Amino acid sequence: MARFQIEKGERFSLNKSEGLEKVQIDLNWKSGADLDASAFLVGEDGIIMDDADFVFYNSKNRANPETGEIEPFNKAVHGNKKNWQNNTVPISADGSVLGSADDLGDGDEEEGEEAGETMHVDLSKVGPKIQEIIFCVTIYHGDKDGVTFGAVREPSITISNEETGEELCRYNLKERFSTETAVEAAKLVCNEDGEWEFEAVGEGHDGGMQTLIDIYA
């Protein structure tokens, strides 16, 4: 169980854990919909500085999920780009954020099935110009298929010490989303003292992933 529970708008200071560098972000929910986790690494102007700072399932900047090393497409090794994407994960330009592998599911999920995606952040690698890392969840083709976050139950986001496995802080999103197909769940914020804080956001948007891209890119 997480050491702290926070509500929308509240922050949890990561300097409570001395020497904390590597954290794991778990986004969980219950739904039959296909949801995808993503992250935006933004500067002072709130905009990504590199395409790779939008860490999402279809990113072209990818890494080996075991080593975190950049792994460009190599036809001799991967055969085709689909295999390459299936066996790698998205990574930010500075190498600090590893995304989750894309899992489109088989379309037979039950409405109450537990699901989720995991992202990894190495705070020691975050570029000096990055001020916030925003963690989002979107419904794949939600607008086209007419599926919204009204069909999603018990969404939550948890931050853990990756090296010890200790859960540090949890935010249970209690907001009632109905028409929304994209949600900004939480973010890591670098404060005026250069220390990282975990902030509960819980903001929903219509328009799916494209709306988030319009905001941060």
Side-chain angles (χ1 to χ4, degrees), residues 42-85:
V42 303
E44 288 186 356
D45 59 358
I47 303 296
I48 61 173
M49 291 173 278
D50 188 293
D51 286 346
D53 286 334
F54 172 30
V55 182
F56 77 117
Y57 64 86
N58 209 29
S59 172
K60 305 306 179 187
N61 198 56
R62 308 188 72 82
N64 183 304
E66 300 298 327
T67 66
E69 297 295 324
I70 297 289
E71 189 168 324
F73 172 68
N74 184 323
K75 187 174 179 62
V77 174
H78 303 106
N80 56 58
K81 289 191 174 181
K82 183 176 180 180
N83 286 336
W84 171 59
Q85 286 196 304

Short mmCIF file of all heavy atoms in Angstrom, two decimals, residues 42-85:
data_model
loop_
_atom_site.label_atom_id
_atom_site.label_comp_id
_atom_site.label_asym_id
_atom_site.label_seq_id
_atom_site.Cartn_x
_atom_site.Cartn_y
_atom_site.Cartn_z
N VAL A 42 8.08 18.46 -20.83
CA VAL A 42 7.97 19.82 -21.34
C VAL A 42 8.91 20.77 -20.59
O VAL A 42 9.31 20.53 -19.45
CB VAL A 42 6.52 20.34 -21.23
CG1 VAL A 42 5.58 19.42 -21.98
CG2 VAL A 42 6.09 20.48 -19.77
N GLY A 43 9.24 21.87 -21.28
CA GLY A 43 10.10 22.89 -20.70
C GLY A 43 9.28 23.98 -20.02
O GLY A 43 8.08 23.81 -19.74
N GLU A 44 9.90 25.13 -19.78
CA GLU A 44 9.24 26.22 -19.07
C GLU A 44 8.01 26.73 -19.82
O GLU A 44 7.06 27.23 -19.20
CB GLU A 44 10.22 27.38 -18.85
CG GLU A 44 11.28 27.09 -17.80
CD GLU A 44 12.14 28.30 -17.52
OE1 GLU A 44 11.96 29.34 -18.21
OE2 GLU A 44 13.00 28.22 -16.62
N ASP A 45 8.02 26.62 -21.15
CA ASP A 45 6.89 27.11 -21.93
C ASP A 45 5.76 26.09 -22.04
O ASP A 45 4.74 26.35 -22.68
CB ASP A 45 7.35 27.52 -23.33
CG ASP A 45 8.00 26.39 -24.12
OD1 ASP A 45 8.14 25.28 -23.56
OD2 ASP A 45 8.38 26.61 -25.28
N GLY A 46 5.94 24.93 -21.40
CA GLY A 46 4.89 23.91 -21.42
C GLY A 46 4.80 23.13 -22.72
O GLY A 46 3.80 22.44 -22.96
N ILE A 47 5.85 23.19 -23.53
CA ILE A 47 5.87 22.53 -24.84
C ILE A 47 7.04 21.56 -24.90
O ILE A 47 8.12 21.84 -24.37
CB ILE A 47 5.98 23.56 -25.99
CG1 ILE A 47 4.83 24.58 -25.92
CG2 ILE A 47 6.01 22.87 -27.35
CD1 ILE A 47 3.46 23.98 -26.13
N ILE A 48 6.85 20.41 -25.58
CA ILE A 48 7.96 19.48 -25.76
C ILE A 48 9.00 20.12 -26.68
O ILE A 48 8.68 20.90 -27.58
CB ILE A 48 7.51 18.13 -26.34
CG1 ILE A 48 6.86 18.29 -27.71
CG2 ILE A 48 6.55 17.42 -25.38
CD1 ILE A 48 6.54 16.97 -28.40
N MET A 49 10.28 19.81 -26.43
CA MET A 49 11.36 20.39 -27.22
C MET A 49 11.86 19.44 -28.31
O MET A 49 12.65 19.84 -29.16
CB MET A 49 12.51 20.78 -26.28
CG MET A 49 12.16 21.95 -25.38
SD MET A 49 13.43 22.31 -24.14
CE MET A 49 13.01 21.08 -22.90
N ASP A 50 11.41 18.20 -28.27
CA ASP A 50 11.85 17.18 -29.22
C ASP A 50 10.67 16.23 -29.41
O ASP A 50 9.93 15.95 -28.46
CB ASP A 50 13.07 16.44 -28.67
CG ASP A 50 13.71 15.50 -29.67
OD1 ASP A 50 13.06 14.49 -30.04
OD2 ASP A 50 14.86 15.75 -30.06
N ASP A 51 10.49 15.74 -30.62
CA ASP A 51 9.39 14.80 -30.87
C ASP A 51 9.45 13.60 -29.93
O ASP A 51 8.42 13.07 -29.51
CB ASP A 51 9.42 14.29 -32.32
CG ASP A 51 8.96 15.35 -33.31
OD1 ASP A 51 8.38 16.37 -32.87
OD2 ASP A 51 9.20 15.17 -34.53
N ALA A 52 10.66 13.17 -29.58
CA ALA A 52 10.82 12.00 -28.70
C ALA A 52 10.40 12.30 -27.27
O ALA A 52 10.26 11.38 -26.47
CB ALA A 52 12.28 11.53 -28.73
N ASP A 53 10.16 13.58 -26.94
CA ASP A 53 9.70 13.91 -25.60
C ASP A 53 8.19 13.72 -25.45
O ASP A 53 7.63 14.01 -24.40
CB ASP A 53 10.09 15.35 -25.25
CG ASP A 53 11.57 15.46 -24.94
OD1 ASP A 53 12.16 14.45 -24.53
OD2 ASP A 53 12.15 16.55 -25.13
N PHE A 54 7.55 13.24 -26.49
CA PHE A 54 6.21 12.68 -26.40
C PHE A 54 6.39 11.17 -26.40
O PHE A 54 6.65 10.56 -27.44
CB PHE A 54 5.35 13.15 -27.57
CG PHE A 54 4.00 12.48 -27.67
CD1 PHE A 54 3.33 12.03 -26.54
CD2 PHE A 54 3.39 12.33 -28.91
CE1 PHE A 54 2.09 11.41 -26.64
CE2 PHE A 54 2.15 11.73 -29.01
CZ PHE A 54 1.50 11.28 -27.88
N VAL A 55 6.33 10.58 -25.23
CA VAL A 55 6.61 9.14 -25.07
C VAL A 55 5.29 8.39 -25.15
O VAL A 55 4.49 8.41 -24.21
CB VAL A 55 7.31 8.88 -23.71
CG1 VAL A 55 7.64 7.40 -23.56
CG2 VAL A 55 8.57 9.73 -23.58
N PHE A 56 5.06 7.74 -26.30
CA PHE A 56 3.81 7.02 -26.50
C PHE A 56 4.05 5.78 -27.34
O PHE A 56 5.13 5.59 -27.88
CB PHE A 56 2.76 7.93 -27.14
CG PHE A 56 2.93 8.16 -28.63
CD1 PHE A 56 1.96 7.75 -29.52
CD2 PHE A 56 4.07 8.79 -29.13
CE1 PHE A 56 2.10 7.97 -30.89
CE2 PHE A 56 4.22 9.01 -30.49
CZ PHE A 56 3.24 8.59 -31.38
N TYR A 57 3.02 4.94 -27.42
CA TYR A 57 3.19 3.60 -27.98
C TYR A 57 3.75 3.59 -29.40
O TYR A 57 4.45 2.65 -29.79
CB TYR A 57 1.87 2.83 -27.94
CG TYR A 57 0.76 3.42 -28.79
CD1 TYR A 57 0.63 3.11 -30.13
CD2 TYR A 57 -0.16 4.30 -28.24
CE1 TYR A 57 -0.38 3.64 -30.91
CE2 TYR A 57 -1.19 4.84 -29.00
CZ TYR A 57 -1.29 4.51 -30.33
OH TYR A 57 -2.29 5.05 -31.09
N ASN A 58 3.47 4.63 -30.20
CA ASN A 58 3.87 4.62 -31.61
C ASN A 58 5.12 5.47 -31.87
O ASN A 58 5.43 5.76 -33.01
CB ASN A 58 2.72 5.11 -32.49
CG ASN A 58 2.75 4.50 -33.88
OD1 ASN A 58 3.23 3.39 -34.07
ND2 ASN A 58 2.24 5.23 -34.85
N SER A 59 5.82 5.84 -30.80
CA SER A 59 7.02 6.66 -30.95
C SER A 59 8.09 5.93 -31.78
O SER A 59 8.23 4.71 -31.69
CB SER A 59 7.60 7.00 -29.58
OG SER A 59 8.86 7.63 -29.71
N LYS A 60 8.83 6.70 -32.55
CA LYS A 60 9.92 6.13 -33.36
C LYS A 60 11.23 6.10 -32.59
O LYS A 60 12.21 5.51 -33.06
CB LYS A 60 10.09 6.94 -34.65
CG LYS A 60 8.82 7.06 -35.48
CD LYS A 60 8.20 5.71 -35.80
CE LYS A 60 6.91 5.86 -36.60
NZ LYS A 60 6.20 4.56 -36.77
N ASN A 61 11.27 6.73 -31.43
CA ASN A 61 12.48 6.69 -30.59
C ASN A 61 12.27 5.57 -29.57
O ASN A 61 11.49 5.72 -28.62
CB ASN A 61 12.68 8.03 -29.88
CG ASN A 61 14.09 8.21 -29.38
OD1 ASN A 61 15.05 8.10 -30.15
ND2 ASN A 61 14.25 8.48 -28.09
N ARG A 62 12.96 4.44 -29.74
CA ARG A 62 12.64 3.25 -28.98
C ARG A 62 13.88 2.63 -28.35
O ARG A 62 15.01 2.88 -28.79
CB ARG A 62 11.90 2.23 -29.85
CG ARG A 62 10.70 2.83 -30.58
CD ARG A 62 9.86 1.80 -31.28
NE ARG A 62 9.11 0.98 -30.33
CZ ARG A 62 7.95 1.35 -29.77
NH1 ARG A 62 7.43 2.53 -30.04
NH2 ARG A 62 7.32 0.56 -28.94
N ALA A 63 13.64 1.82 -27.31
CA ALA A 63 14.75 1.23 -26.56
C ALA A 63 14.46 -0.21 -26.21
O ALA A 63 13.31 -0.67 -26.22
CB ALA A 63 15.00 2.03 -25.28
N ASN A 64 15.52 -0.93 -25.88
CA ASN A 64 15.39 -2.29 -25.35
C ASN A 64 14.75 -2.20 -23.97
O ASN A 64 15.25 -1.47 -23.11
CB ASN A 64 16.78 -2.92 -25.26
CG ASN A 64 16.74 -4.36 -24.79
OD1 ASN A 64 16.21 -4.67 -23.73
ND2 ASN A 64 17.31 -5.25 -25.58
N PRO A 65 13.63 -2.89 -23.72
CA PRO A 65 12.95 -2.76 -22.43
C PRO A 65 13.75 -3.28 -21.24
O PRO A 65 13.51 -2.89 -20.10
CB PRO A 65 11.66 -3.56 -22.62
CG PRO A 65 11.98 -4.53 -23.72
CD PRO A 65 12.92 -3.81 -24.62
N GLU A 66 14.72 -4.15 -21.50
CA GLU A 66 15.53 -4.72 -20.43
C GLU A 66 16.70 -3.82 -20.04
O GLU A 66 17.02 -3.66 -18.87
CB GLU A 66 16.05 -6.10 -20.84
CG GLU A 66 14.96 -7.12 -21.16
CD GLU A 66 14.09 -7.42 -19.96
OE1 GLU A 66 14.59 -7.39 -18.82
OE2 GLU A 66 12.88 -7.68 -20.17
N THR A 67 17.34 -3.22 -21.03
CA THR A 67 18.54 -2.44 -20.78
C THR A 67 18.30 -0.93 -20.80
O THR A 67 19.10 -0.18 -20.25
CB THR A 67 19.62 -2.76 -21.83
OG1 THR A 67 19.16 -2.32 -23.12
CG2 THR A 67 19.90 -4.25 -21.88
N GLY A 68 17.22 -0.50 -21.44
CA GLY A 68 16.97 0.92 -21.58
C GLY A 68 17.83 1.58 -22.64
O GLY A 68 17.82 2.81 -22.79
N GLU A 69 18.59 0.79 -23.39
CA GLU A 69 19.46 1.33 -24.43
C GLU A 69 18.66 1.57 -25.71
O GLU A 69 17.81 0.77 -26.08
CB GLU A 69 20.61 0.37 -24.72
CG GLU A 69 21.54 0.13 -23.54
CD GLU A 69 22.29 1.39 -23.13
OE1 GLU A 69 22.64 2.18 -24.03
OE2 GLU A 69 22.52 1.58 -21.92
N ILE A 70 18.96 2.70 -26.38
CA ILE A 70 18.29 3.02 -27.64
C ILE A 70 18.50 1.88 -28.63
O ILE A 70 19.61 1.36 -28.77
CB ILE A 70 18.86 4.33 -28.23
CG1 ILE A 70 18.57 5.51 -27.32
CG2 ILE A 70 18.28 4.57 -29.63
CD1 ILE A 70 17.14 5.93 -27.27
N GLU A 71 17.43 1.50 -29.30
CA GLU A 71 17.51 0.40 -30.27
C GLU A 71 16.82 0.81 -31.58
O GLU A 71 15.62 0.61 -31.75
CB GLU A 71 16.84 -0.86 -29.71
CG GLU A 71 17.07 -2.09 -30.56
CD GLU A 71 16.65 -3.38 -29.87
OE1 GLU A 71 16.83 -3.49 -28.64
OE2 GLU A 71 16.16 -4.29 -30.57
N PRO A 72 17.58 1.41 -32.49
CA PRO A 72 17.02 1.81 -33.78
C PRO A 72 16.57 0.59 -34.58
O PRO A 72 17.04 -0.53 -34.35
CB PRO A 72 18.19 2.52 -34.47
CG PRO A 72 19.18 2.81 -33.39
CD PRO A 72 19.01 1.74 -32.38
N PHE A 73 15.68 0.83 -35.53
CA PHE A 73 15.23 -0.27 -36.38
C PHE A 73 16.38 -0.79 -37.22
O PHE A 73 17.12 -0.04 -37.83
CB PHE A 73 14.09 0.19 -37.28
CG PHE A 73 13.70 -0.83 -38.31
CD1 PHE A 73 13.10 -2.02 -37.93
CD2 PHE A 73 13.96 -0.62 -39.66
CE1 PHE A 73 12.75 -2.97 -38.87
CE2 PHE A 73 13.61 -1.56 -40.60
CZ PHE A 73 13.01 -2.75 -40.21
N ASN A 74 16.51 -2.12 -37.23
CA ASN A 74 17.52 -2.80 -38.03
C ASN A 74 16.84 -3.98 -38.70
O ASN A 74 16.44 -4.93 -38.04
CB ASN A 74 18.68 -3.27 -37.14
CG ASN A 74 19.81 -3.90 -37.92
OD1 ASN A 74 19.58 -4.60 -38.90
ND2 ASN A 74 21.04 -3.65 -37.49
N LYS A 75 16.69 -3.89 -40.01
CA LYS A 75 15.94 -4.92 -40.74
C LYS A 75 16.56 -6.31 -40.55
O LYS A 75 15.84 -7.31 -40.42
CB LYS A 75 15.88 -4.58 -42.23
CG LYS A 75 14.99 -5.52 -43.04
CD LYS A 75 14.85 -5.04 -44.47
CE LYS A 75 13.99 -5.98 -45.28
NZ LYS A 75 12.61 -6.09 -44.77
N ALA A 76 17.88 -6.38 -40.49
CA ALA A 76 18.55 -7.67 -40.32
C ALA A 76 18.26 -8.28 -38.96
O ALA A 76 18.23 -9.51 -38.80
CB ALA A 76 20.06 -7.51 -40.52
N VAL A 77 18.05 -7.44 -37.96
CA VAL A 77 17.79 -7.91 -36.60
C VAL A 77 16.31 -8.12 -36.34
O VAL A 77 15.89 -9.14 -35.79
CB VAL A 77 18.37 -6.92 -35.56
CG1 VAL A 77 17.98 -7.34 -34.14
CG2 VAL A 77 19.88 -6.83 -35.70
N HIS A 78 15.49 -7.15 -36.75
CA HIS A 78 14.07 -7.14 -36.39
C HIS A 78 13.16 -7.71 -37.47
O HIS A 78 12.02 -8.06 -37.17
CB HIS A 78 13.64 -5.71 -36.05
CG HIS A 78 14.44 -5.08 -34.96
ND1 HIS A 78 15.38 -4.09 -35.21
CD2 HIS A 78 14.47 -5.30 -33.62
CE1 HIS A 78 15.93 -3.71 -34.07
NE2 HIS A 78 15.42 -4.43 -33.10
N GLY A 79 13.64 -7.79 -38.68
CA GLY A 79 12.82 -8.32 -39.77
C GLY A 79 11.91 -7.27 -40.37
O GLY A 79 11.98 -6.97 -41.55
N ASN A 80 11.03 -6.70 -39.55
CA ASN A 80 10.16 -5.62 -40.02
C ASN A 80 9.85 -4.68 -38.86
O ASN A 80 10.14 -4.97 -37.70
CB ASN A 80 8.86 -6.18 -40.62
CG ASN A 80 8.10 -7.07 -39.66
OD1 ASN A 80 7.74 -6.64 -38.56
ND2 ASN A 80 7.87 -8.33 -40.04
N LYS A 81 9.26 -3.55 -39.19
CA LYS A 81 9.04 -2.52 -38.17
C LYS A 81 7.99 -2.94 -37.13
O LYS A 81 8.03 -2.48 -35.99
CB LYS A 81 8.66 -1.20 -38.83
CG LYS A 81 9.84 -0.57 -39.55
CD LYS A 81 9.56 0.86 -39.97
CE LYS A 81 10.81 1.50 -40.56
NZ LYS A 81 10.56 2.91 -40.97
N LYS A 82 7.07 -3.78 -37.52
CA LYS A 82 6.08 -4.25 -36.55
C LYS A 82 6.76 -5.06 -35.44
O LYS A 82 6.47 -4.87 -34.25
CB LYS A 82 5.02 -5.11 -37.24
CG LYS A 82 3.92 -5.57 -36.29
CD LYS A 82 2.84 -6.34 -37.03
CE LYS A 82 1.74 -6.79 -36.06
NZ LYS A 82 0.67 -7.54 -36.76
N ASN A 83 7.67 -5.97 -35.82
CA ASN A 83 8.41 -6.74 -34.82
C ASN A 83 9.27 -5.83 -33.94
O ASN A 83 9.41 -6.05 -32.74
CB ASN A 83 9.29 -7.79 -35.50
CG ASN A 83 8.50 -8.95 -36.03
OD1 ASN A 83 7.40 -9.24 -35.56
ND2 ASN A 83 9.04 -9.63 -37.04
N TRP A 84 9.88 -4.84 -34.59
CA TRP A 84 10.70 -3.88 -33.85
C TRP A 84 9.89 -3.17 -32.78
O TRP A 84 10.28 -3.10 -31.62
CB TRP A 84 11.29 -2.88 -34.84
CG TRP A 84 11.99 -1.71 -34.24
CD1 TRP A 84 13.07 -1.72 -33.40
CD2 TRP A 84 11.68 -0.33 -34.46
NE1 TRP A 84 13.43 -0.43 -33.08
CE2 TRP A 84 12.61 0.43 -33.71
CE3 TRP A 84 10.72 0.33 -35.22
CZ2 TRP A 84 12.58 1.83 -33.71
CZ3 TRP A 84 10.69 1.71 -35.22
CH2 TRP A 84 11.62 2.45 -34.46
N GLN A 85 8.70 -2.69 -33.15
CA GLN A 85 7.86 -1.98 -32.19
C GLN A 85 7.34 -2.91 -31.10
O GLN A 85 7.21 -2.52 -29.95
CB GLN A 85 6.69 -1.30 -32.91
CG GLN A 85 7.12 -0.07 -33.69
CD GLN A 85 5.94 0.81 -34.07
OE1 GLN A 85 5.01 0.35 -34.70
NE2 GLN A 85 6.00 2.07 -33.69
#
